């Protein structure tokens, strides 16, 4: 896969370029927003890994452009991921907060690739997720984590409660925005479950 890795930290760029190259990816690097724009215009990448704080051009501006081009993007961030980030546009396909293990990034890349290559939809009651497009009911963008949370709940699996909170809140907000019936609720002694919301 052709990956553009953008981060102002040269040591990070060098280390993760080596990591991704060892996984048979073709990796180009950029250390500021201007370089990102130029390199995206030169060659069509298949994935962008973008630091949320880049010099010269704001990362949000670059992320909006990537959304418009339907180019998948992982945002690495120095801030804790919260619900506010996950319900606003533009939205990345996945977020990863520092510090993180290299294996976490590799897992995210593999997960995004798998979803992009499938024509399947994840369906439950009046809700469906277009996995390849990272869209909820064809309208709202969702992240890789939101999709996987919904998949886990549909199959009656257990969630990692420590990391799921903001994504659950974002999903419930999006389901409510689209006036869809399912909601994610915490049930004592059972954990998080999908329940049908009453419209009465």
């Amino acid at each position: 896969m052709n990956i553009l890795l953008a981060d102002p930290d040269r040591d990070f760029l060098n280390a993760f370029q080596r990591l991704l190259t060892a996984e048979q990816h073709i990796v180009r690097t950029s250390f500021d927003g201007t370089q990102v724009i130029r390199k995206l215009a030169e060659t069509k990448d298949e994935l962008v890994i973008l630091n949320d704080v880049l010099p010269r051009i704001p990362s949000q501006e670059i992320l909006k452009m990537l959304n418009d081009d339907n180019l998948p993007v992982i945002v690495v961030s120095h801030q804790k991921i919260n619900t506010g980030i996950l319900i606003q546009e533009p939205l990345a396909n996945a977020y990863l907060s520092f510090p993180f293990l290299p294996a976490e990034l590799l897992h995210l890349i593999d997960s995004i690739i798998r979803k992009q290559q499938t024509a399947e939809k994840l369906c439950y009651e009046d809700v469906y997720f277009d996995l390849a497009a990272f869209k909820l009911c064809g309208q709202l963008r969702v992240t890789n984590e939101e999709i996987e949370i919904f998949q886990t709940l549909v199959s009656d699996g257990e969630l990692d409660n420590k990391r799921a909170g903001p994504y659950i809140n974002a999903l419930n907000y999006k389901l409510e925005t689209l006036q869809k019936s399912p909601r994610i609720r915490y049930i004592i002694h059972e954990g998080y479950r999908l329940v049908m919301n009453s419209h009465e």
Side-chain angles (χ1 to χ4, degrees):
M1 169 175 265
N2 294 320
I3 297 176
L4 178 60
L5 177 63
D7 196 285
D9 186 328
R10 305 295 182 97
D11 290 336
F12 176 90
L13 286 180
N14 292 333
F16 278 84
Q17 183 178 34
R18 288 196 300 271
L19 172 74
L20 296 172
T21 300
E23 294 293 319
Q24 309 304 312
H25 297 296
I26 299 170
V27 183
R28 300 186 303 152
T29 62
S30 298
F31 54 84
D32 67 34
T34 302
Q35 278 196 339
V36 172
I37 299 297
R38 190 183 77 246
K39 290 190 176 183
L40 286 171
E42 292 172 354
T43 305
K44 183 65 173 178
D45 292 285
E46 297 168 277
L47 174 71
V48 176
I49 301 171
L50 182 72
N51 190 296
D52 66 341
V53 181
L54 284 178
R56 304 182 73 177
I57 296 179
S59 298
Q60 282 296 100
E61 185 176 326
I62 297 170
L63 183 55
K64 183 181 185 308
M65 184 186 72
L66 296 174
N67 277 192
D68 291 343
D69 291 340
N70 292 316
L71 187 60
V73 56
I74 297 171
V75 166
V76 292
S77 176
H78 290 280
Q79 63 179 315
K80 187 175 180 180
I81 304 307
N82 58 56
T83 304
I85 292 172
L86 300 170
I87 64 175
Q88 294 179 357
E89 295 286 352
L91 184 67
N93 296 74
Y95 292 86
L96 198 55
S97 293
F98 288 106
F100 58 83
L101 298 173
E104 294 181 80
L105 179 59
L106 295 178
H107 171 77
L108 268 183
I109 293 171
D110 288 342
S111 184
I112 289 172
I113 291 171
R114 286 197 306 273
K115 288 180 178 65
Q116 280 197 301
Q117 293 176 343
T118 183
E120 294 180 10
K121 287 182 170 57
L122 171 63
C123 301
Y124 180 84
E125 297 293 338
D126 59 346
V127 169
Y128 74 90
F129 290 78
D130 183 337
L131 302 187
F134 288 80
K135 287 282 185 72
L136 172 60
C137 298
Q139 298 181 58
L140 299 180
R141 290 181 63 88
V142 290
T143 60
N144 187 70
E145 189 81 9
E146 288 169 275
I147 293 172
E148 294 195 344
I149 284 171
F150 208 86
Q151 283 177 320
T152 299
L153 294 175
V154 167
S155 61
D156 293 322
E158 293 187 10
L159 295 178
D160 176 0
N161 294 354
K162 292 180 181 178
R163 303 182 65 173
Y167 296 95
I168 289 171
N169 293 337
L171 260 177
N172 279 335
Y173 174 86
K174 292 169 187 177
L175 291 166
E176 183 177 351
T177 298
L178 295 176
Q179 298 184 323
K180 299 300 180 181
S181 300
R183 294 291 188 278
I184 302 170
R185 303 291 186 220
Y186 186 82
I187 300 175
I188 297 175
H189 305 308
E190 294 185 31
Y192 287 105
R193 292 290 182 264
L194 283 170
V195 299
M196 299 308 293
N197 186 58
S198 172
H199 293 293
E200 297 179 2

mmCIF file of all heavy atoms in Angstrom, residues 78-100:
data_model
loop_
_atom_site.group_PDB
_atom_site.id
_atom_site.type_symbol
_atom_site.label_atom_id
_atom_site.label_comp_id
_atom_site.label_asym_id
_atom_site.label_seq_id
_atom_site.Cartn_x
_atom_site.Cartn_y
_atom_site.Cartn_z
ATOM 1 N N HIS A 78 -1.947 14.254 19.970
ATOM 2 C CA HIS A 78 -1.408 14.422 21.315
ATOM 3 C C HIS A 78 -2.517 14.671 22.329
ATOM 4 O O HIS A 78 -2.252 14.719 23.526
ATOM 5 C CB HIS A 78 -0.414 15.584 21.343
ATOM 6 C CG HIS A 78 0.859 15.296 20.616
ATOM 7 N ND1 HIS A 78 1.880 14.564 21.166
ATOM 8 C CD2 HIS A 78 1.256 15.617 19.352
ATOM 9 C CE1 HIS A 78 2.878 14.455 20.297
ATOM 10 N NE2 HIS A 78 2.527 15.086 19.190
ATOM 11 N N GLN A 79 -3.747 14.829 21.861
ATOM 12 C CA GLN A 79 -4.851 15.038 22.792
ATOM 13 C C GLN A 79 -5.679 13.762 22.922
ATOM 14 O O GLN A 79 -5.664 12.895 22.046
ATOM 15 C CB GLN A 79 -5.745 16.187 22.333
ATOM 16 C CG GLN A 79 -6.440 15.961 20.991
ATOM 17 C CD GLN A 79 -7.328 17.122 20.616
ATOM 18 O OE1 GLN A 79 -8.087 17.634 21.442
ATOM 19 N NE2 GLN A 79 -7.240 17.563 19.364
ATOM 20 N N LYS A 80 -6.388 13.650 24.020
ATOM 21 C CA LYS A 80 -7.252 12.507 24.251
ATOM 22 C C LYS A 80 -8.462 12.604 23.326
ATOM 23 O O LYS A 80 -9.044 13.672 23.165
ATOM 24 C CB LYS A 80 -7.702 12.484 25.719
ATOM 25 C CG LYS A 80 -8.470 11.248 26.117
ATOM 26 C CD LYS A 80 -8.762 11.268 27.615
ATOM 27 C CE LYS A 80 -9.534 10.025 28.026
ATOM 28 N NZ LYS A 80 -9.821 10.028 29.484
ATOM 29 N N ILE A 81 -8.814 11.495 22.703
ATOM 30 C CA ILE A 81 -9.952 11.511 21.782
ATOM 31 C C ILE A 81 -11.241 11.661 22.578
ATOM 32 O O ILE A 81 -11.493 10.923 23.530
ATOM 33 C CB ILE A 81 -9.983 10.214 20.942
ATOM 34 C CG1 ILE A 81 -8.661 10.020 20.208
ATOM 35 C CG2 ILE A 81 -11.150 10.253 19.961
ATOM 36 C CD1 ILE A 81 -8.208 11.205 19.386
ATOM 37 N N ASN A 82 -12.051 12.647 22.180
ATOM 38 C CA ASN A 82 -13.311 12.892 22.885
ATOM 39 C C ASN A 82 -14.482 12.906 21.919
ATOM 40 O O ASN A 82 -14.308 12.909 20.698
ATOM 41 C CB ASN A 82 -13.238 14.197 23.687
ATOM 42 C CG ASN A 82 -12.932 15.396 22.795
ATOM 43 O OD1 ASN A 82 -13.646 15.669 21.834
ATOM 44 N ND2 ASN A 82 -11.864 16.118 23.113
ATOM 45 N N THR A 83 -15.667 12.919 22.479
ATOM 46 C CA THR A 83 -16.878 12.852 21.667
ATOM 47 C C THR A 83 -16.977 14.026 20.702
ATOM 48 O O THR A 83 -17.422 13.880 19.556
ATOM 49 C CB THR A 83 -18.127 12.810 22.567
ATOM 50 O OG1 THR A 83 -18.011 11.704 23.469
ATOM 51 C CG2 THR A 83 -19.390 12.645 21.740
ATOM 52 N N GLY A 84 -16.552 15.210 21.153
ATOM 53 C CA GLY A 84 -16.629 16.398 20.301
ATOM 54 C C GLY A 84 -15.893 16.216 18.989
ATOM 55 O O GLY A 84 -16.372 16.632 17.927
ATOM 56 N N ILE A 85 -14.713 15.600 19.047
ATOM 57 C CA ILE A 85 -13.945 15.339 17.825
ATOM 58 C C ILE A 85 -14.712 14.413 16.898
ATOM 59 O O ILE A 85 -14.739 14.594 15.674
ATOM 60 C CB ILE A 85 -12.580 14.720 18.185
ATOM 61 C CG1 ILE A 85 -11.694 15.741 18.899
ATOM 62 C CG2 ILE A 85 -11.864 14.179 16.942
ATOM 63 C CD1 ILE A 85 -10.408 15.146 19.464
ATOM 64 N N LEU A 86 -15.361 13.403 17.480
ATOM 65 C CA LEU A 86 -15.967 12.320 16.703
ATOM 66 C C LEU A 86 -17.310 12.664 16.078
ATOM 67 O O LEU A 86 -17.817 11.913 15.240
ATOM 68 C CB LEU A 86 -16.129 11.084 17.592
ATOM 69 C CG LEU A 86 -14.829 10.528 18.183
ATOM 70 C CD1 LEU A 86 -15.129 9.471 19.231
ATOM 71 C CD2 LEU A 86 -13.935 9.966 17.095
ATOM 72 N N ILE A 87 -17.907 13.782 16.477
ATOM 73 C CA ILE A 87 -19.208 14.148 15.899
ATOM 74 C C ILE A 87 -19.090 15.343 14.960
ATOM 75 O O ILE A 87 -20.093 15.811 14.424
ATOM 76 C CB ILE A 87 -20.259 14.436 16.992
ATOM 77 C CG1 ILE A 87 -19.866 15.643 17.843
ATOM 78 C CG2 ILE A 87 -20.494 13.201 17.848
ATOM 79 C CD1 ILE A 87 -20.922 16.046 18.866
ATOM 80 N N GLN A 88 -17.871 15.830 14.747
ATOM 81 C CA GLN A 88 -17.682 16.979 13.870
ATOM 82 C C GLN A 88 -17.087 16.550 12.536
ATOM 83 O O GLN A 88 -16.461 15.506 12.414
ATOM 84 C CB GLN A 88 -16.757 18.004 14.537
ATOM 85 C CG GLN A 88 -17.338 18.652 15.781
ATOM 86 C CD GLN A 88 -16.381 19.634 16.423
ATOM 87 O OE1 GLN A 88 -15.253 19.808 15.975
ATOM 88 N NE2 GLN A 88 -16.822 20.288 17.479
ATOM 89 N N GLU A 89 -17.306 17.342 11.535
ATOM 90 C CA GLU A 89 -16.642 17.175 10.245
ATOM 91 C C GLU A 89 -15.518 18.206 10.154
ATOM 92 O O GLU A 89 -15.658 19.313 10.680
ATOM 93 C CB GLU A 89 -17.637 17.383 9.099
ATOM 94 C CG GLU A 89 -18.744 16.348 9.035
ATOM 95 C CD GLU A 89 -18.278 14.999 8.520
ATOM 96 O OE1 GLU A 89 -17.112 14.901 8.067
ATOM 97 O OE2 GLU A 89 -19.066 14.050 8.581
ATOM 98 N N PRO A 90 -14.426 17.884 9.489
ATOM 99 C CA PRO A 90 -14.131 16.597 8.850
ATOM 100 C C PRO A 90 -13.715 15.560 9.887
ATOM 101 O O PRO A 90 -13.242 15.906 10.969
ATOM 102 C CB PRO A 90 -12.970 16.927 7.919
ATOM 103 C CG PRO A 90 -12.275 18.072 8.583
ATOM 104 C CD PRO A 90 -13.348 18.869 9.261
ATOM 105 N N LEU A 91 -13.910 14.288 9.537
ATOM 106 C CA LEU A 91 -13.648 13.195 10.457
ATOM 107 C C LEU A 91 -12.689 12.206 9.809
ATOM 108 O O LEU A 91 -12.851 11.835 8.646
ATOM 109 C CB LEU A 91 -14.958 12.487 10.801
ATOM 110 C CG LEU A 91 -14.895 11.368 11.837
ATOM 111 C CD1 LEU A 91 -14.544 11.937 13.209
ATOM 112 C CD2 LEU A 91 -16.220 10.616 11.906
ATOM 113 N N ALA A 92 -11.688 11.781 10.570
ATOM 114 C CA ALA A 92 -10.746 10.782 10.071
ATOM 115 C C ALA A 92 -11.378 9.395 10.135
ATOM 116 O O ALA A 92 -12.384 9.178 10.817
ATOM 117 C CB ALA A 92 -9.467 10.805 10.900
ATOM 118 N N ASN A 93 -10.773 8.445 9.433
ATOM 119 C CA ASN A 93 -11.241 7.062 9.499
ATOM 120 C C ASN A 93 -10.878 6.427 10.838
ATOM 121 O O ASN A 93 -11.539 5.491 11.278
ATOM 122 C CB ASN A 93 -10.641 6.228 8.370
ATOM 123 C CG ASN A 93 -11.088 6.713 7.009
ATOM 124 O OD1 ASN A 93 -10.629 7.748 6.542
ATOM 125 N ND2 ASN A 93 -11.986 5.984 6.356
ATOM 126 N N ALA A 94 -9.807 6.920 11.448
ATOM 127 C CA ALA A 94 -9.385 6.391 12.749
ATOM 128 C C ALA A 94 -8.503 7.420 13.452
ATOM 129 O O ALA A 94 -7.863 8.251 12.801
ATOM 130 C CB ALA A 94 -8.630 5.077 12.574
ATOM 131 N N TYR A 95 -8.497 7.334 14.782
ATOM 132 C CA TYR A 95 -7.670 8.208 15.608
ATOM 133 C C TYR A 95 -6.814 7.358 16.539
ATOM 134 O O TYR A 95 -7.250 6.310 17.025
ATOM 135 C CB TYR A 95 -8.548 9.150 16.445
ATOM 136 C CG TYR A 95 -9.282 10.175 15.629
ATOM 137 C CD1 TYR A 95 -10.515 9.879 15.054
ATOM 138 C CD2 TYR A 95 -8.739 11.441 15.421
ATOM 139 C CE1 TYR A 95 -11.197 10.819 14.283
ATOM 140 C CE2 TYR A 95 -9.411 12.392 14.661
ATOM 141 C CZ TYR A 95 -10.633 12.071 14.095
ATOM 142 O OH TYR A 95 -11.286 13.003 13.334
ATOM 143 N N LEU A 96 -5.618 7.837 16.778
ATOM 144 C CA LEU A 96 -4.692 7.136 17.659
ATOM 145 C C LEU A 96 -3.984 8.184 18.510
ATOM 146 O O LEU A 96 -3.333 9.084 17.977
ATOM 147 C CB LEU A 96 -3.681 6.353 16.817
ATOM 148 C CG LEU A 96 -2.894 5.222 17.471
ATOM 149 C CD1 LEU A 96 -3.815 4.200 18.125
ATOM 150 C CD2 LEU A 96 -2.019 4.540 16.422
ATOM 151 N N SER A 97 -4.138 8.083 19.829
ATOM 152 C CA SER A 97 -3.544 9.071 20.729
ATOM 153 C C SER A 97 -2.160 8.629 21.180
ATOM 154 O O SER A 97 -1.936 7.459 21.481
ATOM 155 C CB SER A 97 -4.430 9.268 21.963
ATOM 156 O OG SER A 97 -5.655 9.869 21.612
ATOM 157 N N PHE A 98 -1.225 9.593 21.218
ATOM 158 C CA PHE A 98 0.095 9.332 21.795
ATOM 159 C C PHE A 98 -0.052 9.169 23.312
ATOM 160 O O PHE A 98 -0.861 9.859 23.927
ATOM 161 C CB PHE A 98 1.031 10.507 21.511
ATOM 162 C CG PHE A 98 1.469 10.633 20.086
ATOM 163 C CD1 PHE A 98 0.946 11.641 19.277
ATOM 164 C CD2 PHE A 98 2.400 9.771 19.542
ATOM 165 C CE1 PHE A 98 1.361 11.786 17.973
ATOM 166 C CE2 PHE A 98 2.825 9.917 18.227
ATOM 167 C CZ PHE A 98 2.306 10.922 17.442
ATOM 168 N N PRO A 99 0.754 8.276 23.927
ATOM 169 C CA PRO A 99 1.686 7.347 23.269
ATOM 170 C C PRO A 99 0.945 6.091 22.809
ATOM 171 O O PRO A 99 -0.057 5.721 23.413
ATOM 172 C CB PRO A 99 2.673 7.009 24.393
ATOM 173 C CG PRO A 99 1.847 7.104 25.637
ATOM 174 C CD PRO A 99 0.846 8.220 25.398
ATOM 175 N N PHE A 100 1.425 5.481 21.751
ATOM 176 C CA PHE A 100 0.810 4.231 21.288
ATOM 177 C C PHE A 100 1.899 3.264 20.844
ATOM 178 O O PHE A 100 3.021 3.666 20.528
ATOM 179 C CB PHE A 100 -0.190 4.482 20.159
ATOM 180 C CG PHE A 100 0.391 5.175 18.955
ATOM 181 C CD1 PHE A 100 1.074 4.469 17.973
ATOM 182 C CD2 PHE A 100 0.254 6.553 18.795
ATOM 183 C CE1 PHE A 100 1.617 5.110 16.857
ATOM 184 C CE2 PHE A 100 0.783 7.208 17.691
ATOM 185 C CZ PHE A 100 1.467 6.485 16.717
#
